[in-house]
Amino acid sequence: MYVQELEPVAGSLGLSALVAALPLLIVLVLLGGVRMKAHLAGLTGLLAAVLVAWLAYGMPLDQTASSAVQGAAFGLFPILWIVVNALWVYRMTVRTRHFDILRRSFGRLSDDPRIQALVVAFCFGALLEALAGFGAPVAICSVMLVALGFDPVRAAVVSLVANTAPVAFGAMGTPVVTLAQVTGLPLDDVASVVGRQTPLLALVVPLLLVALVDGRRGLRETWIPALACGVAFAVAQFAAANYVSAQLADIGAALLGAGALVAVPHARRPAAEPVRAAVLTGVRSEELDVHDPGREVLRAYAPYALIVAVFSVAQIPAVKDWLARATQTYDWPFLDVADPEGNPVGGNVFSWPIVSTGGTLVLFAGVATAVVLGVHARVAVREWVATVHELRFAILTVTSVLALAYVMNLSGQAATIGHFVAAAGAGLAFLSPVLGWFGVAVSGSDTSANALFGALQVTAARESGLSPELLAAANSSGGVLGKMISPQNLTIACAAVGLAGREGDLLRKVLPWSLGLLLVMCLIVVGQSTAVLGWMLP
């Protein structure tokens, strides 16, 4: 048995924490300073974590390697299993051109560019985040806004800022699923707290978007539909995360937000010509004027309806119990780890939720989507393989980062850093979202930031007497605000709208909003850690 040590380096917690932090520092420097590709930085950080675990912490090399393999296995299933199948559904809609029909359907909802920004960037962007994530919403929404006549810079900025509130539950809940796994906290508990933080952002972001599109005039003239959209989105995200399913949080929020938006009379009023002239400085795509039969419009919406239906059925108690019985549990080979008190850690056992996991449910919905959209089985399989090929570097990145996280967690490195950070005491509640924000700003992924810092947050919370669920959730909720300034997202936005090389211009425009919203989230978490907002927590 390997027993974790908290102070293996010269009996000093400070020195041990410094050594334990080396793998994280290496990854962050390689990503943010050297601008190394994410999968190479992840593999380098993994090598550093293995060496620290073996040489500094004395973890046997076979157990160190086994913990890395377990992390990579979790990265493949269920994390990447969800992402691949969700992106597969999206690719089929693109292949059958039903995605174009959906885009035109959104363009016809209103001719007011401020409302179009809410429908496309906020609501549809959240739907894309729910299905694909990993930069897809920014790229696709930016292109759609340019097609509607938006200036490329404005389209990119709006899409980047809009991609905040849904990120924690993106890719069918992948970030919170990862957070629950690496922290050992129940998924429902983590999702519930995140679902009481990010909806507060959803109240603010639509108002911010109309201001970005048309300044004070936009806020003055369209605050009612913007607020209606934000409130509906927030309520749906809160309800799904707390009472239905974390995987459905963004889908339900996006659909209800869009429904509330178009239901407000203000949203359907024609925009004044001065507004359109001031905002729409680009050229509107003629493709948006194509008429689509009602039957095809319904088929375009069908994939999202099928996903909601499949996940809803999976929440029926009898079905949920039947799915859960298919979960396989194994003693992970070559791994026998105990915490500093001598108690076996949860990582010694590996659970494989074959059917009940979100990725398998999305696969079922994808098969139904292929039938509804008329995609031949051979073509559907080819699209699935092409999806895996498209994600090959993301797959390598996620597996290497999760392998790194598991090595750090099981060797005791994360616990050492957590005990050291706990010295911040009450200030930890304020700093917790900042750590998540920094992680996403560098890695471009809330999933990666949760894998890297989730266990550290929980350890620090327990040592300082704060709620582990609160600080774990704060890592994810603060992280979503780093998405808009991550180099990867900035590059994606620039490439999508033809602004290659102007990432610095976009960064200067979105950085103040990222920092301002981060401050709001820090204050929310501080309030939730005290009696002021403590009543908000479950």
Side-chain angles (χ1 to χ4, degrees):
M1 176 181 287
Y2 167 71
V3 180
Q4 297 173 347
E5 284 188 68
L6 291 178
E7 303 174 356
V9 181
S12 167
L13 182 62
L15 286 175
S16 299
L18 183 62
V19 172
L22 283 176
L24 294 178
L25 293 174
I26 287 171
V27 171
L28 298 178
V29 169
L30 291 179
L31 282 173
V34 181
R35 299 293 178 87
M36 181 181 284
K37 292 185 181 299
H39 63 282
L40 296 177
L43 290 170
T44 306
L46 171 59
L47 176 61
V50 168
L51 291 175
V52 169
W54 179 38
L55 299 176
Y57 278 75
M59 188 179 196
L61 195 55
D62 60 340
Q63 297 216 45
T64 305
S66 181
S67 61
V69 172
Q70 184 182 153
F74 176 73
L76 290 172
F77 192 98
I79 299 305
L80 288 162
W81 180 238
I82 297 171
V83 175
V84 167
N85 289 324
L87 192 56
W88 173 56
V89 173
Y90 164 70
R91 284 180 62 101
M92 285 194 290
T93 67
V94 172
R95 183 179 182 89
T96 59
R97 304 197 68 81
H98 283 88
F99 178 78
D100 293 333
I101 295 173
L102 195 66
R103 182 177 66 177
R104 288 193 287 270
S105 173
F106 289 149
R108 285 190 288 269
L109 290 175
S110 172
D111 73 342
D112 189 325
R114 299 163 300 190
I115 303 302
Q116 290 173 341
L118 293 176
V119 172
V120 173
F122 188 68
C123 297
F124 187 57
L127 198 58
L128 290 172
E129 183 67 37
L131 287 182
F134 293 90
V138 171
I140 294 167
C141 292
S142 297
V143 171
M144 289 175 69
L145 290 176
V146 169
L148 288 168
F150 278 66
D151 169 72
V153 173
R154 182 177 280 145
V157 169
V158 167
S159 298
L160 285 165
V161 174
N163 192 221
T164 48
V167 168
F169 296 103
M172 307 307 295
T174 296
V176 291
V177 170
T178 303
L179 185 61
Q181 180 69 20
V182 300
T183 59
L185 299 172
L187 173 60
D188 289 345
D189 292 355
V190 173
S192 178
V193 180
V194 175
R196 294 161 194 251
Q197 294 172 342
T198 56
L200 299 176
L201 292 176
L203 297 174
V204 177
V205 171
L207 296 169
L208 177 56
L209 293 180
V210 295
L212 285 171
V213 171
D214 194 29
R216 292 182 180 178
R217 177 178 60 186
L219 193 57
R220 184 176 64 251
E221 295 180 0
T222 56
W223 70 269
I224 292 178
L227 187 60
C229 177
V231 169
F233 188 102
V235 169
Q237 193 180 63
F238 163 79
N242 281 273
Y243 306 113
V244 184
S245 165
Q247 287 90 342
L248 284 179
D250 280 349
I251 293 179
L255 296 177
L256 195 61
L261 180 61
V262 299
V264 176
H266 286 70
R268 299 194 299 275
R269 294 175 184 169
E273 194 54 40
V275 172
R276 293 179 58 79
V279 176
L280 301 180
T281 54
V283 179
R284 185 177 184 275
S285 172
E286 294 181 0
E287 184 193 346
L288 296 172
D289 297 322
V290 175
H291 175 72
D292 298 304
R295 180 171 177 271
E296 292 304 309
V297 173
L298 289 176
R299 291 175 72 190
Y301 283 91
Y304 312 103
L306 287 168
I307 289 175
V308 172
V310 169
F311 273 85
S312 298
V313 170
Q315 298 307 309
I316 298 172
V319 177
K320 193 172 185 178
D321 291 342
W322 178 78
L323 293 173
R325 284 198 293 273
T327 298
Q328 302 291 316
T329 302
Y330 306 95
D331 288 330
W332 192 258
F334 307 110
L335 200 61
D336 187 11
V337 179
D339 64 21
E341 286 74 41
N343 303 310
V345 300
N348 294 331
V349 177
F350 185 78
S351 294
W352 190 22
I354 303 172
V355 184
S356 61
T357 187
T360 303
L361 298 179
V362 175
L363 179 65
F364 293 155
V367 172
T369 294
V371 173
V372 171
L373 298 185
V375 180
H376 191 278
R378 185 173 58 254
V379 176
V381 171
R382 193 182 304 136
E383 285 296 324
W384 194 91
V385 173
T387 302
V388 174
H389 182 264
E390 179 184 337
L391 290 173
R392 61 193 184 282
F393 292 118
I395 290 171
L396 191 54
T397 299
V398 171
T399 51
S400 62
V401 167
L402 279 160
L404 181 158
Y406 268 61
V407 170
M408 291 190 65
N409 294 346
L410 290 171
S411 66
Q413 294 173 60
T416 296
I417 300 171
H419 279 73
F420 181 75
V421 171
L428 188 59
F430 185 88
L431 295 175
S432 186
V434 178
L435 189 59
W437 174 85
F438 181 70
V440 176
V442 172
S443 70
S445 165
D446 201 35
T447 299
S448 295
N450 286 345
L452 291 173
F453 300 132
L456 184 159
Q457 298 265 23
V458 167
T459 301
R462 286 174 174 149
E463 287 302 303
S464 59
L466 294 170
S467 164
E469 292 81 6
L470 174 62
L471 293 202
N475 191 83
S476 192
S477 299
V480 306
L481 300 170
K483 190 90 169 177
M484 69 178 83
I485 64 167
S486 72
Q488 290 154 272
N489 253 24
L490 290 170
T491 301
I492 288 170
C494 286
V497 297
L499 296 174
R502 294 185 57 186
E503 289 85 356
D505 294 342
L506 287 187
L507 178 60
R508 284 190 289 274
K509 289 182 178 296
V510 299
L511 182 59
W513 301 113
S514 178
L515 293 173
L517 291 172
L518 175 63
L519 176 60
V520 171
M521 181 55 66
C522 290
L523 295 176
I524 289 171
V525 174
V526 169
Q528 290 178 334
S529 70
T530 66
V532 177
L533 295 178
W535 53 269
M536 292 179 63
L537 300 180

